[in-house]
Amino acid sequence: MTTARETVLGRVRDALALAPAADTTVPRAYRTGRTLPGEECLALFTDRLLDYKAQVHPCTADRTAEVVAEVLRERGARRIGVPAGLDPQWLTAYDGEVQQDSVDIPAPRLDSLDGVVTASAVSCAETGTIFLDGSPDQGRRALSLVPDLHVCVVDLSTVEVGVPEAVARLVPERPTTLISGPSATSDIELERVEGVHGPRTLAVVIRTDV
């Protein structure tokens, strides 16, 4: 008697035998090289972020610490987590408790934080998506997913128009997290529910002169 496993594996072997022997070249005729003036790129990116119900706080680089502190204060965040490589100058105006993250801290313990502040790798204006790649100033995936508030600092110079342009700036070997607004899903009655799979609130601080 043939088992279900043997049947499945047999069909896989048959399919592989019928597959072309030569490698297939996948056409990648994506639109690339698109650019927008800084103000237009900022406007498009902001529009998409707001559509996703994210908070947007544009500022100049010299006001980064002030704006980050304002956002944290408005959300009542008294204890925050930060990746080890975050620029300490960004927190000089914040008077709460700061916990530097480490792989030695179990992910469930991150739930005790009121929020997290990270940098970002690159963003896509057209889709309102922010890419984190696990760099020292962005930290591990758990750090940006477990706390209920994520304050993400984005330099306008890292915002590309479309997805192909944004992906081209990433290092393929690095773990990448894509963020399009706060975590949200819909229940069986299509009612929007936020904070199920990640932060309930996403605040994006866009440094317009960097």
Side-chain angles (χ1 to χ4, degrees):
M1 180 180 293
T2 303
T3 65
R5 179 176 182 275
E6 292 171 339
T7 299
V8 171
L9 292 178
R11 291 177 180 177
V12 171
R13 284 190 288 270
D14 291 343
L16 291 174
L18 295 173
D23 291 337
T24 301
T25 301
V26 178
R28 303 189 185 278
Y30 309 128
R31 290 184 298 169
T32 59
R34 290 175 294 165
T35 60
L36 281 175
E39 291 186 1
E40 293 183 27
C41 189
L42 174 61
L44 178 61
F45 187 43
T46 299
D47 176 76
R48 298 299 190 267
L49 288 171
L50 293 175
D51 191 51
Y52 282 129
K53 301 186 183 303
Q55 300 175 5
V56 182
H57 304 271
C59 69
T60 52
D62 60 351
R63 295 192 63 240
T64 304
E66 177 185 345
V67 174
V68 167
E70 287 177 359
V71 173
L72 294 172
R73 183 168 56 251
E74 289 173 359
R75 299 299 304 181
R78 299 302 306 163
R79 184 168 182 265
I80 65 167
V82 298
L86 191 76
D87 188 341
Q89 294 299 315
W90 293 359
L91 300 174
T92 53
Y94 176 64
D95 59 1
E97 180 184 348
V98 178
Q99 174 181 296
Q100 182 172 296
D101 189 40
S102 165
V103 294
D104 297 327
I105 300 175
R109 280 180 51 190
L110 298 175
D111 191 44
S112 65
L113 300 172
D114 297 321
V116 57
V117 179
T118 75
S120 57
V122 65
S123 298
C124 173
E126 199 168 56
T127 63
T129 303
I130 300 170
F131 297 73
L132 308 183
D133 68 359
S135 293
D137 59 359
Q138 296 155 56
R140 55 177 170 158
R141 181 180 173 87
L143 180 63
S144 59
L145 290 179
V146 177
D148 202 45
L149 166 67
H150 182 188
V151 180
C152 187
V153 180
V154 174
D155 292 343
L156 186 58
S157 62
T158 67
V159 180
E160 295 288 346
V161 176
V163 173
E165 291 88 355
V167 170
R169 294 183 60 163
L170 296 171
V171 179
E173 293 77 18
R174 299 198 65 84
T176 304
T177 301
L178 279 63
I179 302 171
S180 294
S183 170
T185 188
S186 296
D187 63 17
I188 194 171
E189 296 180 350
L190 299 183
E191 292 291 333
R192 181 181 172 94
V193 181
E194 298 178 349
V196 177
H197 308 296
R200 193 186 315 270
T201 303
L202 173 65
V204 185
V205 177
I206 306 176
R207 307 202 304 170
T208 57
D209 58 341
V210 180

